[in-house]
Amino acid sequence: MIALLPLSGESSIEIGEHTTRTWLGMTFNIDTIISTLVAGAVVLLMGFAVRRVVTRKTEDHVPTKLQLIWEAVVGQVNKQVEENLGRIHPFVAPLAISLFFFILICNWLELLPTELNHDLHLLPAPTADTNLTYALAAVTMVSVWVYGIRQKGARGYFKHFLEPFPVLLPLNILEELVKPITLALRLFGNIFAGGIMLALIGLIPIAALWIPNLLWKSFDAAIGVIQAFIFALLAVLYFAMAGAGHDDHGEAEETA
């Protein structure tokens, strides 16, 4: 938790605190859970809306803005997947696209004016909570490991930890375990820092508040896009690293 003192010095704004409930000895951040559900619902509604438009496409159909945005993201992600994996994988591409849109909506929730007071934020960015970023990173990395084992087989996948020299086994294992941590903390740090900046801007006298608030929210919106894209891109790169050599080996056999 971080306490920020306002210009008047009479009160403080606390950042990093959550509305919590305890159940069976476990503590749940209720605001993070609600924001996560809202973000997930928004992504699903976007997907269903685009699907409805696409399935009703006619010759004189004019694509909606939502459809154009969705198709642009899907096209870019498919391009990255094809360049790194050699083909558009039926699991990796949808996962990366889902991660991008979900993280983007989570990041942008922070920009909505949902603060009732300094102590209650109805929809904070759930990606500013390590509980969500660690969960996203864990799901991503477990999927990567399963993908690597399915592509190479258990023996072939775990063999790469001994490369290029068996003495590097501890370092290779440590590197693999650090990946989800860095993946989670990179996203958390950037979004949490954005929340701090918005709180600091809120300390400015109300007469001059709208100018820095507008500028920072515009910048923060761009950061939200970049961080969502980086997370999705790193996920694709990790999948490519996990399956490295498998497709090349298959192509060599077909050529022979």
Side-chain angles (χ1 to χ4, degrees), residues 4-13 199-206 208:
L4 300 177
L5 296 178
L7 300 178
S8 63
E10 296 178 356
S11 60
S12 64
I13 298 176
L200 286 171
I201 291 172
L203 304 178
I204 299 175
I206 190 66

Side-chain angles (χ1 to χ4, degrees), residues 84-96:
N84 287 280
L85 274 70
R87 60 191 178 96
I88 300 177
H89 196 276
F91 172 76
V92 178
L95 176 63

